[in-house]
Amino acid sequence: MSEQADVAKYNSGKLQKQWKVDLIGFAFIAPWLIGFLGFIIGPMIASLYFSFTNYDLLSPPTWIGLDNYINMFTNDSRFWQAIKVTFIFVFGSVPLKLAFALFVAMLFNTKRRGVGLYRTLYYVPSILGGSVAIAVVWKQLFGREGAINDILSLFGIPSVSWVTSPDFALSTLIILVVWQFGSPMLIFLAGLKAIPAELYEAAAVDGASPLHQFIKITIPMLSPVIFFNLVMQTIQGFMAFTQSFLITEGGPMDRTLFYAVYLYEKAFAHFDMGYASALAWILLLICGIFTAFIFRTAKSWVYYESEGGK
Amino acid sequence: MKRQKNLKTLIYHGSIWILGLFMIYPILWTIASSLKPENEIFRNAASLIPSEIRWGNFLKGWEGFGDLSFATFFINSTFVTTMVVIGTLFSSTLVAFGFARVNFRFRMPLFVCMIITLMLPQQVTLIPQYILFHKLGWVNTYLPLIVPAFIGGIPFFIFLMVQFIRGIPRELDEAAYMDGCSTFGIFWRVILPLTMPALATVAIFSFYWTWDDFMTPLVYLNDTKLYTVALGLQMFSDPSSLSAWGPMFAMSVASIIPQLLVFLFFQKYLVEGITAGGVKG
């Protein structure tokens, strides 16, 4: 990289001694470095240790080896329920969210008038959707006497208690998350604008149908952006907390017991810090495996125009 | 031919408006419900037009719970958010400049470490951090909410600033250096003024995330006097409190007004921030 060579020439070499540069560099990144060591690496090591202990915050931790992990996998049906719910949530919401985001982005990728206003309109839910206000309201909107049932009854559909029904509670949360497709939409839109129009013109001259153009041009050209959105949304999905905690409180009958909610319950309701730490490490492992999987497969489906364009 | 084109335009705008109505309906419904008389919220629930406007919901909601009014929650949230924004601006600019412009040893490995923490689930550090803050006696204070911002707690912002600073021509630094400017001088007088648009993006995002944040205050704040707006709102859905629907909707609306205003005035910076992470990254 020429950039690095530039930095080297300008910062060190004839101009400044390397130790001086080191000192200056570390001074600048000191805030982050302190945070990284003290609030991330340190706590992570501590948490790995706690995961092998029995610890309730009041008495000192006692070493119990792999017991927390063994218990979790063999003796804790709520752990498996949380895994199941979280997977359904992630695999239900992420593809839907990205599909919506791409569809709407393609609608907005035009020079028609009013698109700026539309983009704002469609983005507003994403600005507010994560807030407690919307979570509290969502519960009522989908409540037995809420607006959704009122609208459905116009079409003769009997009212459902969305939030408290074991069959619909998770779907209600998925709808809330999919509704906030604004950020991936904006990223897709920027990606679509970067695709050269000549590609489509050439394809049209060759008689390619719009569907064909979509599969052969849009998807490959957009694949780095799809990749980015996929990684970010998947991780966010595994971390989801507020929706379940506020709207369904994990219920009914643990049908919406998100992993993060279960972890919170173990740590801050039961003060079982050792077990909760073990849960946290399993979550990290799951996220790591998924990210690695997406990265590994990326080579076969993500197309980079130039090697430099990473 | 022209007629067909007009028809297409009509279908395009028509379908976007219809879909847009679905998108925006829950928000309009919240606003409408906050103005409805209490007994009307769940009768004709779907309606967006109150039979009469009741501002009283806002007054009643603002009174809050017991001797705690929503003014307290708003003051608390404003304080925490302001401090977090200041802390984030402070740490992200300094650290980003270090990574983008100073060629110290271990620069790349440390930068990679920072990128990895971008993808670290919050829950992994939550428990040990809680134990740490508990030992420091910080639980039930604002310190656990504010201090992390000053030490680069959200690496996304550092990443965003690094990307931006890399786009500033290096000749500017070199010219300043030749004129006898120190590295800090280059940061302060040359780079910082040029990063204003990126700083705006960082400030807006950290405002949003802090204002919205529920989990961190939930974990660290026990005393209701310290509650932020997010926690205050949650008290409405507490089954032990008498559910007052009108005031609940009114305070929900009040809590999102700052976010809506910031969005309407600074939309441009928000869009830039979101797309910078996804496209240039």
Side-chain angles (χ1 to χ4, degrees), chain A residues 22 39 107 118 122 150 179, chain B residues 12-13 16 23 46 105 129:
Chain A
D22 289 349
F39 286 16
L107 278 182
Y118 295 156
Y122 279 62
D150 201 23
W179 179 53
Chain B
Y12 175 82
H13 291 284
I16 285 189
M23 289 294 297
R105 269 174 282 187
Q129 273 182 10

Side-chain angles (χ1 to χ4, degrees), chain A residues 7 10-11 16 22 31 39 43 55 107 110 112-113 118 120 122-123 131 136-137 140 150 179 246 260 276, chain B residues 12-13 16-17 19-20 23 30 45-46 101 103 105 123 127-129 135 151 186 212 245 248 263 267 274:
Chain A
V7 185
Y10 147 63
N11 263 327
Q16 276 182 345
D22 289 349
F39 286 16
Y55 186 32
L107 278 182
T110 158
R112 286 179 211 263
R113 285 172 63 180
Y118 295 156
T120 306
Y122 279 62
Y123 190 70
S131 64
V136 170
V137 165
Q140 306 310 329
D150 201 23
W179 179 53
L246 281 176
Chain B
Y12 175 82
H13 291 284
I16 285 189
W17 273 109
L19 194 62
M23 289 294 297
T30 310
R101 284 295 209 255
N103 191 37
R105 269 174 282 187
Q123 279 82 9
I127 293 159
Q129 273 182 10
K135 293 252 151 85
I151 50 176
I186 294 171
D212 258 357
W245 301 119
M248 187 204 88
F263 176 63
Q267 216 197 111
I274 293 164

Side-chain angles (χ1 to χ4, degrees), chain A residues 11-33:
Chain A
N11 263 327
S12 60
K14 286 170 226 148
L15 298 175
Q16 276 182 345
K17 294 260 188 294
Q18 182 64 42
W19 68 265
K20 255 187 169 171
V21 176
D22 289 349
L23 202 67
I24 293 168
F26 278 99
F28 272 104
I29 67 157
W32 171 78
L33 197 61

Side-chain angles (χ1 to χ4, degrees), chain A residues 109-175:
Chain A
N109 187 28
T110 158
K111 290 198 173 69
R112 286 179 211 263
R113 285 172 63 180
V115 169
L117 174 70
Y118 295 156
R119 198 185 59 184
T120 306
L121 193 67
Y122 279 62
Y123 190 70
V124 167
S126 306
I127 280 292
L128 306 174
S131 64
V132 174
I134 292 298
V136 170
V137 165
W138 207 255
K139 198 171 172 176
Q140 306 310 329
L141 185 68
F142 279 84
R144 184 170 272 287
E145 288 167 342
I148 299 296
N149 277 333
D150 201 23
I151 294 170
L152 289 178
S153 70
L154 293 178
F155 300 96
I157 301 169
S159 55
V160 174
S161 184
W162 295 88
V163 174
T164 52
S165 140
D167 296 327
F168 295 110
L170 190 54
S171 320
T172 313
L173 301 186
I174 291 178
I175 295 171

Side-chain angles (χ1 to χ4, degrees), chain A:
Chain A
M1 264 165 101
S2 72
E3 183 215 341
Q4 246 170 334
D6 271 0
V7 185
K9 189 181 79 187
Y10 147 63
N11 263 327
S12 60
K14 286 170 226 148
L15 298 175
Q16 276 182 345
K17 294 260 188 294
Q18 182 64 42
W19 68 265
K20 255 187 169 171
V21 176
D22 289 349
L23 202 67
I24 293 168
F26 278 99
F28 272 104
I29 67 157
W32 171 78
L33 197 61
I34 294 167
F36 179 66
L37 296 175
F39 286 16
I40 294 182
I41 290 296
M44 276 179 77
I45 294 169
S47 141
L48 187 62
Y49 165 71
F50 290 136
S51 78
F52 297 111
T53 67
N54 199 349
Y55 186 32
D56 64 359
L57 267 187
L58 299 173
S59 42
T62 47
W63 182 267
I64 52 169
L66 283 170
D67 277 9
N68 283 330
Y69 292 96
I70 294 169
N71 248 331
M72 196 186 301
F73 282 98
T74 59
N75 206 8
D76 185 355
S77 59
R78 297 192 76 208
F79 163 74
W80 290 109
Q81 175 67 13
I83 294 265
K84 193 179 120 194
V85 167
T86 309
F87 272 62
I88 297 174
F89 174 73
V90 170
F91 292 115
S93 64
V94 174
L96 263 179
K97 190 177 187 176
L98 293 187
F100 261 110
L102 181 56
F103 173 72
V104 174
M106 286 177 70
L107 278 182
F108 291 169
N109 187 28
T110 158
K111 290 198 173 69
R112 286 179 211 263
R113 285 172 63 180
V115 169
L117 174 70
Y118 295 156
R119 198 185 59 184
T120 306
L121 193 67
Y122 279 62
Y123 190 70
V124 167
S126 306
I127 280 292
L128 306 174
S131 64
V132 174
I134 292 298
V136 170
V137 165
W138 207 255
K139 198 171 172 176
Q140 306 310 329
L141 185 68
F142 279 84
R144 184 170 272 287
E145 288 167 342
I148 299 296
N149 277 333
D150 201 23
I151 294 170
L152 289 178
S153 70
L154 293 178
F155 300 96
I157 301 169
S159 55
V160 174
S161 184
W162 295 88
V163 174
T164 52
S165 140
D167 296 327
F168 295 110
L170 190 54
S171 320
T172 313
L173 301 186
I174 291 178
I175 295 171
L176 170 58
V177 175
V178 172
W179 179 53
Q180 302 163 46
F181 59 73
S183 298
M185 172 191 83
L186 290 178
I187 297 172
F188 278 138
L189 192 57
L192 285 170
K193 287 205 158 74
I195 302 177
E198 298 90 64
L199 289 178
Y200 292 107
E201 283 157 18
V205 169
D206 290 345
S209 69
L211 179 69
H212 214 86
Q213 292 180 21
F214 175 73
I215 295 169
K216 294 285 182 193
I217 301 172
T218 311
I219 294 287
M221 292 298 285
L222 217 51
S223 55
V225 179
I226 298 176
F227 171 71
F228 175 84
N229 278 334
L230 193 62
V231 172
M232 291 324 260
Q233 296 297 330
T234 305
I235 294 173
Q236 267 182 35
F238 279 116
M239 284 166 55
F241 172 77
T242 313
Q243 299 87 354
S244 163
F245 188 83
L246 281 176
I247 300 174
T248 54
E249 292 154 47
M253 297 186 299
D254 285 348
R255 289 296 174 95
T256 58
L257 185 70
F258 286 4
Y259 198 93
V261 173
Y262 186 50
L263 192 148
Y264 174 87
E265 207 178 281
K266 279 286 171 203
F268 300 106
H270 304 158
F271 287 96
D272 200 346
M273 294 294 178
Y275 198 77
S277 298
L279 284 173
W281 273 88
I282 296 296
L283 177 68
L284 180 65
L285 207 66
I286 294 173
C287 284
I289 290 170
F290 268 91
T291 314
F293 176 76
I294 299 173
F295 268 90
R296 187 51 75 77
T297 59
K299 283 200 187 83
S300 64
W301 64 271
V302 177
Y303 167 78
Y304 289 111
E305 214 173 334
S306 63
E307 281 304 308
K310 55 169 181 166

Side-chain angles (χ1 to χ4, degrees), chain B residues 186-234:
Chain B
I186 294 171
F187 165 72
W188 190 250
R189 291 208 204 99
V190 180
I191 301 294
L192 206 55
L194 291 172
T195 56
M196 282 307 161
L199 288 181
T201 303
V202 168
I204 289 164
F205 268 99
S206 72
F207 160 76
Y208 270 112
W209 291 349
T210 317
W211 192 268
D212 258 357
D213 190 16
F214 175 65
M215 198 176 188
T216 322
L218 177 73
V219 167
Y220 289 110
L221 304 177
N222 308 320
D223 190 347
T224 42
K225 275 198 216 69
L226 297 177
Y227 272 18
T228 58
V229 173
L231 290 179
L233 272 180
Q234 191 225 356

